[in-house]
mmCIF file with all atom_site columns, all heavy atoms in Angstrom:
data_model
loop_
_atom_site.group_PDB
_atom_site.id
_atom_site.type_symbol
_atom_site.label_atom_id
_atom_site.label_alt_id
_atom_site.label_comp_id
_atom_site.label_asym_id
_atom_site.label_entity_id
_atom_site.label_seq_id
_atom_site.pdbx_PDB_ins_code
_atom_site.Cartn_x
_atom_site.Cartn_y
_atom_site.Cartn_z
_atom_site.occupancy
_atom_site.B_iso_or_equiv
_atom_site.pdbx_formal_charge
_atom_site.auth_seq_id
_atom_site.auth_comp_id
_atom_site.auth_asym_id
_atom_site.auth_atom_id
_atom_site.pdbx_PDB_model_num
ATOM 1   N N   . GLY W 1 1  ? 8.963  -7.495  2.681   1.00 88.00 ? 171 GLY W N   1
ATOM 2   C CA  . GLY W 1 1  ? 10.316 -7.946  3.070   1.00 88.00 ? 171 GLY W CA  1
ATOM 3   C C   . GLY W 1 1  ? 10.238 -9.440  3.447   1.00 88.00 ? 171 GLY W C   1
ATOM 4   O O   . GLY W 1 1  ? 10.980 -10.328 3.167   1.00 88.00 ? 171 GLY W O   1
ATOM 5   N N   . LEU W 1 2  ? 9.216  -9.795  4.299   1.00 88.00 ? 172 LEU W N   1
ATOM 6   C CA  . LEU W 1 2  ? 9.110  -11.145 4.664   1.00 88.00 ? 172 LEU W CA  1
ATOM 7   C C   . LEU W 1 2  ? 8.564  -12.042 3.674   1.00 88.00 ? 172 LEU W C   1
ATOM 8   O O   . LEU W 1 2  ? 8.961  -13.210 3.583   1.00 88.00 ? 172 LEU W O   1
ATOM 9   C CB  . LEU W 1 2  ? 7.897  -11.170 5.786   1.00 88.00 ? 172 LEU W CB  1
ATOM 10  C CG  . LEU W 1 2  ? 8.403  -10.499 7.220   1.00 88.00 ? 172 LEU W CG  1
ATOM 11  C CD1 . LEU W 1 2  ? 7.180  -10.469 8.152   1.00 88.00 ? 172 LEU W CD1 1
ATOM 12  C CD2 . LEU W 1 2  ? 9.547  -11.246 7.743   1.00 88.00 ? 172 LEU W CD2 1
ATOM 13  N N   . ALA W 1 3  ? 7.664  -11.498 2.700   1.00 86.00 ? 173 ALA W N   1
ATOM 14  C CA  . ALA W 1 3  ? 7.223  -12.425 1.655   1.00 86.00 ? 173 ALA W CA  1
ATOM 15  C C   . ALA W 1 3  ? 8.327  -12.684 0.622   1.00 86.00 ? 173 ALA W C   1
ATOM 16  O O   . ALA W 1 3  ? 8.489  -13.824 0.136   1.00 86.00 ? 173 ALA W O   1
ATOM 17  C CB  . ALA W 1 3  ? 6.071  -11.793 0.880   1.00 86.00 ? 173 ALA W CB  1
ATOM 18  N N   . GLY W 1 4  ? 9.164  -11.710 0.348   1.00 81.00 ? 174 GLY W N   1
ATOM 19  C CA  . GLY W 1 4  ? 10.194 -11.858 -0.671  1.00 81.00 ? 174 GLY W CA  1
ATOM 20  C C   . GLY W 1 4  ? 9.785  -12.399 -2.082  1.00 81.00 ? 174 GLY W C   1
ATOM 21  O O   . GLY W 1 4  ? 10.428 -13.189 -2.672  1.00 81.00 ? 174 GLY W O   1
ATOM 22  N N   . SER W 1 5  ? 8.608  -11.876 -2.463  1.00 81.00 ? 175 SER W N   1
ATOM 23  C CA  . SER W 1 5  ? 8.018  -12.327 -3.781  1.00 81.00 ? 175 SER W CA  1
ATOM 24  C C   . SER W 1 5  ? 7.841  -11.289 -4.660  1.00 81.00 ? 175 SER W C   1
ATOM 25  O O   . SER W 1 5  ? 7.601  -10.148 -4.326  1.00 81.00 ? 175 SER W O   1
ATOM 26  C CB  . SER W 1 5  ? 6.825  -13.092 -3.442  1.00 81.00 ? 175 SER W CB  1
ATOM 27  O OG  . SER W 1 5  ? 6.095  -13.450 -4.597  1.00 81.00 ? 175 SER W OG  1
ATOM 28  N N   . ARG W 1 6  ? 8.069  -11.541 -5.982  1.00 81.00 ? 176 ARG W N   1
ATOM 29  C CA  . ARG W 1 6  ? 7.735  -10.574 -6.965  1.00 81.00 ? 176 ARG W CA  1
ATOM 30  C C   . ARG W 1 6  ? 6.335  -10.113 -7.069  1.00 81.00 ? 176 ARG W C   1
ATOM 31  O O   . ARG W 1 6  ? 5.878  -9.169  -7.559  1.00 81.00 ? 176 ARG W O   1
ATOM 32  C CB  . ARG W 1 6  ? 8.254  -11.196 -8.408  1.00 81.00 ? 176 ARG W CB  1
ATOM 33  C CG  . ARG W 1 6  ? 8.046  -10.228 -9.532  1.00 81.00 ? 176 ARG W CG  1
ATOM 34  C CD  . ARG W 1 6  ? 8.761  -10.767 -10.791 1.00 81.00 ? 176 ARG W CD  1
ATOM 35  N NE  . ARG W 1 6  ? 8.509  -9.943  -11.981 1.00 81.00 ? 176 ARG W NE  1
ATOM 36  C CZ  . ARG W 1 6  ? 7.523  -10.170 -12.829 1.00 81.00 ? 176 ARG W CZ  1
ATOM 37  N NH1 . ARG W 1 6  ? 6.717  -11.208 -12.726 1.00 81.00 ? 176 ARG W NH1 1
ATOM 38  N NH2 . ARG W 1 6  ? 7.360  -9.313  -13.845 1.00 81.00 ? 176 ARG W NH2 1
ATOM 39  N N   . ALA W 1 7  ? 5.423  -11.065 -6.498  1.00 85.00 ? 177 ALA W N   1
ATOM 40  C CA  . ALA W 1 7  ? 4.021  -10.822 -6.514  1.00 85.00 ? 177 ALA W CA  1
ATOM 41  C C   . ALA W 1 7  ? 3.627  -9.850  -5.402  1.00 85.00 ? 177 ALA W C   1
ATOM 42  O O   . ALA W 1 7  ? 2.415  -9.372  -5.451  1.00 85.00 ? 177 ALA W O   1
ATOM 43  C CB  . ALA W 1 7  ? 3.251  -12.017 -6.467  1.00 85.00 ? 177 ALA W CB  1
ATOM 44  N N   . PHE W 1 8  ? 4.546  -9.491  -4.636  1.00 89.00 ? 178 PHE W N   1
ATOM 45  C CA  . PHE W 1 8  ? 4.281  -8.542  -3.435  1.00 89.00 ? 178 PHE W CA  1
ATOM 46  C C   . PHE W 1 8  ? 5.424  -7.629  -3.380  1.00 89.00 ? 178 PHE W C   1
ATOM 47  O O   . PHE W 1 8  ? 6.238  -7.742  -2.387  1.00 89.00 ? 178 PHE W O   1
ATOM 48  C CB  . PHE W 1 8  ? 3.948  -9.251  -2.132  1.00 89.00 ? 178 PHE W CB  1
ATOM 49  C CG  . PHE W 1 8  ? 3.400  -8.558  -1.072  1.00 89.00 ? 178 PHE W CG  1
ATOM 50  C CD1 . PHE W 1 8  ? 2.828  -7.249  -1.326  1.00 89.00 ? 178 PHE W CD1 1
ATOM 51  C CD2 . PHE W 1 8  ? 3.398  -8.940  0.200   1.00 89.00 ? 178 PHE W CD2 1
ATOM 52  C CE1 . PHE W 1 8  ? 2.264  -6.423  -0.325  1.00 89.00 ? 178 PHE W CE1 1
ATOM 53  C CE2 . PHE W 1 8  ? 2.832  -8.125  1.278   1.00 89.00 ? 178 PHE W CE2 1
ATOM 54  C CZ  . PHE W 1 8  ? 2.311  -6.950  1.020   1.00 89.00 ? 178 PHE W CZ  1
ATOM 55  N N   . PRO W 1 9  ? 5.534  -6.585  -4.271  1.00 91.00 ? 179 PRO W N   1
ATOM 56  C CA  . PRO W 1 9  ? 6.732  -5.718  -4.223  1.00 91.00 ? 179 PRO W CA  1
ATOM 57  C C   . PRO W 1 9  ? 6.589  -4.736  -3.081  1.00 91.00 ? 179 PRO W C   1
ATOM 58  O O   . PRO W 1 9  ? 5.515  -4.345  -2.613  1.00 91.00 ? 179 PRO W O   1
ATOM 59  C CB  . PRO W 1 9  ? 6.506  -5.034  -5.625  1.00 91.00 ? 179 PRO W CB  1
ATOM 60  C CG  . PRO W 1 9  ? 5.053  -5.050  -5.867  1.00 91.00 ? 179 PRO W CG  1
ATOM 61  C CD  . PRO W 1 9  ? 4.504  -6.387  -5.250  1.00 91.00 ? 179 PRO W CD  1
ATOM 62  N N   . PRO W 1 10 ? 7.767  -4.262  -2.600  1.00 92.00 ? 180 PRO W N   1
ATOM 63  C CA  . PRO W 1 10 ? 7.797  -3.121  -1.505  1.00 92.00 ? 180 PRO W CA  1
ATOM 64  C C   . PRO W 1 10 ? 7.458  -1.868  -2.080  1.00 92.00 ? 180 PRO W C   1
ATOM 65  O O   . PRO W 1 10 ? 7.423  -1.692  -3.332  1.00 92.00 ? 180 PRO W O   1
ATOM 66  C CB  . PRO W 1 10 ? 9.258  -3.227  -1.117  1.00 92.00 ? 180 PRO W CB  1
ATOM 67  C CG  . PRO W 1 10 ? 9.992  -3.771  -2.293  1.00 92.00 ? 180 PRO W CG  1
ATOM 68  C CD  . PRO W 1 10 ? 9.032  -4.736  -2.956  1.00 92.00 ? 180 PRO W CD  1
ATOM 69  N N   . PRO W 1 11 ? 7.177  -0.909  -1.148  1.00 92.00 ? 181 PRO W N   1
ATOM 70  C CA  . PRO W 1 11 ? 6.805  0.462   -1.606  1.00 92.00 ? 181 PRO W CA  1
ATOM 71  C C   . PRO W 1 11 ? 7.766  1.051   -2.552  1.00 92.00 ? 181 PRO W C   1
ATOM 72  O O   . PRO W 1 11 ? 7.355  1.834   -3.453  1.00 92.00 ? 181 PRO W O   1
ATOM 73  C CB  . PRO W 1 11 ? 6.608  1.179   -0.314  1.00 92.00 ? 181 PRO W CB  1
ATOM 74  C CG  . PRO W 1 11 ? 6.390  0.100   0.730   1.00 92.00 ? 181 PRO W CG  1
ATOM 75  C CD  . PRO W 1 11 ? 7.105  -1.023  0.258   1.00 92.00 ? 181 PRO W CD  1
ATOM 76  N N   . GLN W 1 12 ? 9.066  0.950   -2.233  1.00 93.00 ? 182 GLN W N   1
ATOM 77  C CA  . GLN W 1 12 ? 10.107 1.553   -3.158  1.00 93.00 ? 182 GLN W CA  1
ATOM 78  C C   . GLN W 1 12 ? 10.012 1.154   -4.527  1.00 93.00 ? 182 GLN W C   1
ATOM 79  O O   . GLN W 1 12 ? 10.304 1.932   -5.469  1.00 93.00 ? 182 GLN W O   1
ATOM 80  C CB  . GLN W 1 12 ? 11.508 1.466   -2.563  1.00 93.00 ? 182 GLN W CB  1
ATOM 81  C CG  . GLN W 1 12 ? 11.998 0.033   -2.414  1.00 93.00 ? 182 GLN W CG  1
ATOM 82  C CD  . GLN W 1 12 ? 11.646 -0.713  -1.060  1.00 93.00 ? 182 GLN W CD  1
ATOM 83  O OE1 . GLN W 1 12 ? 10.707 -0.247  -0.407  1.00 93.00 ? 182 GLN W OE1 1
ATOM 84  N NE2 . GLN W 1 12 ? 12.450 -1.610  -0.580  1.00 93.00 ? 182 GLN W NE2 1
ATOM 85  N N   . ASP W 1 13 ? 9.676  -0.088  -4.788  1.00 93.00 ? 183 ASP W N   1
ATOM 86  C CA  . ASP W 1 13 ? 9.641  -0.642  -6.197  1.00 93.00 ? 183 ASP W CA  1
ATOM 87  C C   . ASP W 1 13 ? 8.379  0.060   -6.898  1.00 93.00 ? 183 ASP W C   1
ATOM 88  O O   . ASP W 1 13 ? 8.479  0.436   -8.148  1.00 93.00 ? 183 ASP W O   1
ATOM 89  C CB  . ASP W 1 13 ? 9.414  -2.156  -6.245  1.00 93.00 ? 183 ASP W CB  1
ATOM 90  C CG  . ASP W 1 13 ? 10.645 -2.872  -5.786  1.00 93.00 ? 183 ASP W CG  1
ATOM 91  O OD1 . ASP W 1 13 ? 11.698 -2.178  -5.514  1.00 93.00 ? 183 ASP W OD1 1
ATOM 92  O OD2 . ASP W 1 13 ? 10.686 -4.063  -5.725  1.00 93.00 ? 183 ASP W OD2 1
ATOM 93  N N   . VAL W 1 14 ? 7.243  0.114   -6.213  1.00 93.00 ? 184 VAL W N   1
ATOM 94  C CA  . VAL W 1 14 ? 6.138  0.807   -6.751  1.00 93.00 ? 184 VAL W CA  1
ATOM 95  C C   . VAL W 1 14 ? 6.416  2.269   -7.089  1.00 93.00 ? 184 VAL W C   1
ATOM 96  O O   . VAL W 1 14 ? 6.048  2.846   -8.032  1.00 93.00 ? 184 VAL W O   1
ATOM 97  C CB  . VAL W 1 14 ? 4.934  0.604   -5.822  1.00 93.00 ? 184 VAL W CB  1
ATOM 98  C CG1 . VAL W 1 14 ? 3.753  1.399   -6.378  1.00 93.00 ? 184 VAL W CG1 1
ATOM 99  C CG2 . VAL W 1 14 ? 4.568  -0.810  -5.636  1.00 93.00 ? 184 VAL W CG2 1
ATOM 100 N N   . LEU W 1 15 ? 7.090  2.958   -6.122  1.00 94.00 ? 185 LEU W N   1
ATOM 101 C CA  . LEU W 1 15 ? 7.407  4.334   -6.271  1.00 94.00 ? 185 LEU W CA  1
ATOM 102 C C   . LEU W 1 15 ? 8.424  4.555   -7.512  1.00 94.00 ? 185 LEU W C   1
ATOM 103 O O   . LEU W 1 15 ? 8.216  5.522   -8.247  1.00 94.00 ? 185 LEU W O   1
ATOM 104 C CB  . LEU W 1 15 ? 7.996  4.908   -5.053  1.00 94.00 ? 185 LEU W CB  1
ATOM 105 C CG  . LEU W 1 15 ? 8.496  6.289   -5.032  1.00 94.00 ? 185 LEU W CG  1
ATOM 106 C CD1 . LEU W 1 15 ? 7.324  7.201   -5.281  1.00 94.00 ? 185 LEU W CD1 1
ATOM 107 C CD2 . LEU W 1 15 ? 9.166  6.770   -3.765  1.00 94.00 ? 185 LEU W CD2 1
ATOM 108 N N   . ALA W 1 16 ? 9.325  3.628   -7.637  1.00 94.00 ? 186 ALA W N   1
ATOM 109 C CA  . ALA W 1 16 ? 10.213 3.716   -8.708  1.00 94.00 ? 186 ALA W CA  1
ATOM 110 C C   . ALA W 1 16 ? 9.494  3.517   -10.056 1.00 94.00 ? 186 ALA W C   1
ATOM 111 O O   . ALA W 1 16 ? 9.769  4.264   -10.994 1.00 94.00 ? 186 ALA W O   1
ATOM 112 C CB  . ALA W 1 16 ? 11.314 2.618   -8.638  1.00 94.00 ? 186 ALA W CB  1
ATOM 113 N N   . PHE W 1 17 ? 8.514  2.678   -10.164 1.00 94.00 ? 187 PHE W N   1
ATOM 114 C CA  . PHE W 1 17 ? 7.787  2.569   -11.317 1.00 94.00 ? 187 PHE W CA  1
ATOM 115 C C   . PHE W 1 17 ? 6.965  3.830   -11.608 1.00 94.00 ? 187 PHE W C   1
ATOM 116 O O   . PHE W 1 17 ? 6.926  4.249   -12.751 1.00 94.00 ? 187 PHE W O   1
ATOM 117 C CB  . PHE W 1 17 ? 6.826  1.375   -11.179 1.00 94.00 ? 187 PHE W CB  1
ATOM 118 C CG  . PHE W 1 17 ? 5.879  1.245   -12.325 1.00 94.00 ? 187 PHE W CG  1
ATOM 119 C CD1 . PHE W 1 17 ? 6.232  0.632   -13.517 1.00 94.00 ? 187 PHE W CD1 1
ATOM 120 C CD2 . PHE W 1 17 ? 4.527  1.801   -12.196 1.00 94.00 ? 187 PHE W CD2 1
ATOM 121 C CE1 . PHE W 1 17 ? 5.403  0.640   -14.636 1.00 94.00 ? 187 PHE W CE1 1
ATOM 122 C CE2 . PHE W 1 17 ? 3.602  1.671   -13.385 1.00 94.00 ? 187 PHE W CE2 1
ATOM 123 C CZ  . PHE W 1 17 ? 4.087  1.114   -14.467 1.00 94.00 ? 187 PHE W CZ  1
ATOM 124 N N   . ILE W 1 18 ? 6.310  4.427   -10.634 1.00 94.00 ? 188 ILE W N   1
ATOM 125 C CA  . ILE W 1 18 ? 5.544  5.642   -10.870 1.00 94.00 ? 188 ILE W CA  1
ATOM 126 C C   . ILE W 1 18 ? 6.433  6.754   -11.334 1.00 94.00 ? 188 ILE W C   1
ATOM 127 O O   . ILE W 1 18 ? 6.013  7.509   -12.303 1.00 94.00 ? 188 ILE W O   1
ATOM 128 C CB  . ILE W 1 18 ? 4.907  6.060   -9.457  1.00 94.00 ? 188 ILE W CB  1
ATOM 129 C CG1 . ILE W 1 18 ? 3.781  5.025   -9.037  1.00 94.00 ? 188 ILE W CG1 1
ATOM 130 C CG2 . ILE W 1 18 ? 4.167  7.430   -9.585  1.00 94.00 ? 188 ILE W CG2 1
ATOM 131 C CD1 . ILE W 1 18 ? 3.231  5.308   -7.779  1.00 94.00 ? 188 ILE W CD1 1
ATOM 132 N N   . VAL W 1 19 ? 7.587  6.853   -10.830 1.00 95.00 ? 189 VAL W N   1
ATOM 133 C CA  . VAL W 1 19 ? 8.547  7.903   -11.286 1.00 95.00 ? 189 VAL W CA  1
ATOM 134 C C   . VAL W 1 19 ? 8.905  7.744   -12.667 1.00 95.00 ? 189 VAL W C   1
ATOM 135 O O   . VAL W 1 19 ? 8.971  8.609   -13.498 1.00 95.00 ? 189 VAL W O   1
ATOM 136 C CB  . VAL W 1 19 ? 9.904  8.020   -10.327 1.00 95.00 ? 189 VAL W CB  1
ATOM 137 C CG1 . VAL W 1 19 ? 10.834 8.919   -10.917 1.00 95.00 ? 189 VAL W CG1 1
ATOM 138 C CG2 . VAL W 1 19 ? 9.402  8.395   -8.919  1.00 95.00 ? 189 VAL W CG2 1
ATOM 139 N N   . THR W 1 20 ? 9.168  6.451   -13.100 1.00 94.00 ? 190 THR W N   1
ATOM 140 C CA  . THR W 1 20 ? 9.649  6.181   -14.465 1.00 94.00 ? 190 THR W CA  1
ATOM 141 C C   . THR W 1 20 ? 8.463  6.484   -15.464 1.00 94.00 ? 190 THR W C   1
ATOM 142 O O   . THR W 1 20 ? 8.633  7.098   -16.461 1.00 94.00 ? 190 THR W O   1
ATOM 143 C CB  . THR W 1 20 ? 10.014 4.592   -14.486 1.00 94.00 ? 190 THR W CB  1
ATOM 144 O OG1 . THR W 1 20 ? 11.122 4.420   -13.737 1.00 94.00 ? 190 THR W OG1 1
ATOM 145 C CG2 . THR W 1 20 ? 10.415 4.316   -15.962 1.00 94.00 ? 190 THR W CG2 1
ATOM 146 N N   . GLU W 1 21 ? 7.307  6.020   -15.091 1.00 94.00 ? 191 GLU W N   1
ATOM 147 C CA  . GLU W 1 21 ? 6.169  6.327   -15.947 1.00 94.00 ? 191 GLU W CA  1
ATOM 148 C C   . GLU W 1 21 ? 5.763  7.769   -16.122 1.00 94.00 ? 191 GLU W C   1
ATOM 149 O O   . GLU W 1 21 ? 5.474  8.266   -17.146 1.00 94.00 ? 191 GLU W O   1
ATOM 150 C CB  . GLU W 1 21 ? 4.831  5.522   -15.437 1.00 94.00 ? 191 GLU W CB  1
ATOM 151 C CG  . GLU W 1 21 ? 4.959  4.066   -15.556 1.00 94.00 ? 191 GLU W CG  1
ATOM 152 C CD  . GLU W 1 21 ? 4.913  3.583   -17.036 1.00 94.00 ? 191 GLU W CD  1
ATOM 153 O OE1 . GLU W 1 21 ? 3.752  3.687   -17.655 1.00 94.00 ? 191 GLU W OE1 1
ATOM 154 O OE2 . GLU W 1 21 ? 5.885  3.179   -17.627 1.00 94.00 ? 191 GLU W OE2 1
ATOM 155 N N   . ALA W 1 22 ? 6.014  8.490   -14.911 1.00 94.00 ? 192 ALA W N   1
ATOM 156 C CA  . ALA W 1 22 ? 5.670  9.918   -14.985 1.00 94.00 ? 192 ALA W CA  1
ATOM 157 C C   . ALA W 1 22 ? 6.789  10.641  -15.857 1.00 94.00 ? 192 ALA W C   1
ATOM 158 O O   . ALA W 1 22 ? 6.372  11.520  -16.620 1.00 94.00 ? 192 ALA W O   1
ATOM 159 C CB  . ALA W 1 22 ? 5.748  10.448  -13.522 1.00 94.00 ? 192 ALA W CB  1
ATOM 160 N N   . ALA W 1 23 ? 7.935  10.230  -15.781 1.00 95.00 ? 193 ALA W N   1
ATOM 161 C CA  . ALA W 1 23 ? 9.124  10.767  -16.635 1.00 95.00 ? 193 ALA W CA  1
ATOM 162 C C   . ALA W 1 23 ? 8.759  10.607  -18.026 1.00 95.00 ? 193 ALA W C   1
ATOM 163 O O   . ALA W 1 23 ? 9.139  11.326  -18.914 1.00 95.00 ? 193 ALA W O   1
ATOM 164 C CB  . ALA W 1 23 ? 10.467 10.254  -16.154 1.00 95.00 ? 193 ALA W CB  1
ATOM 165 N N   . SER W 1 24 ? 8.370  9.473   -18.412 1.00 94.00 ? 194 SER W N   1
ATOM 166 C CA  . SER W 1 24 ? 8.028  9.135   -19.869 1.00 94.00 ? 194 SER W CA  1
ATOM 167 C C   . SER W 1 24 ? 6.759  9.723   -20.445 1.00 94.00 ? 194 SER W C   1
ATOM 168 O O   . SER W 1 24 ? 6.601  9.748   -21.622 1.00 94.00 ? 194 SER W O   1
ATOM 169 C CB  . SER W 1 24 ? 7.906  7.661   -20.065 1.00 94.00 ? 194 SER W CB  1
ATOM 170 O OG  . SER W 1 24 ? 6.828  7.032   -19.405 1.00 94.00 ? 194 SER W OG  1
ATOM 171 N N   . GLY W 1 25 ? 5.909  10.247  -19.534 1.00 93.00 ? 195 GLY W N   1
ATOM 172 C CA  . GLY W 1 25 ? 4.608  10.872  -19.975 1.00 93.00 ? 195 GLY W CA  1
ATOM 173 C C   . GLY W 1 25 ? 3.451  9.925   -20.086 1.00 93.00 ? 195 GLY W C   1
ATOM 174 O O   . GLY W 1 25 ? 2.366  10.329  -20.269 1.00 93.00 ? 195 GLY W O   1
#
């Protein structure tokens, strides 16, 4: 949150990517 950079995403963004990739197989 302090960095506010795309190069340092928060945990919820990483979790959202994992869920999307898992759903697609």
Side-chain angles (χ1 to χ4, degrees):
L172 291 174
S175 171
R176 183 170 175 265
F178 192 13
Q182 61 267 26
D183 289 358
V184 177
L185 180 60
F187 172 82
I188 293 174
V189 171
T190 302
E191 288 291 288
S194 68

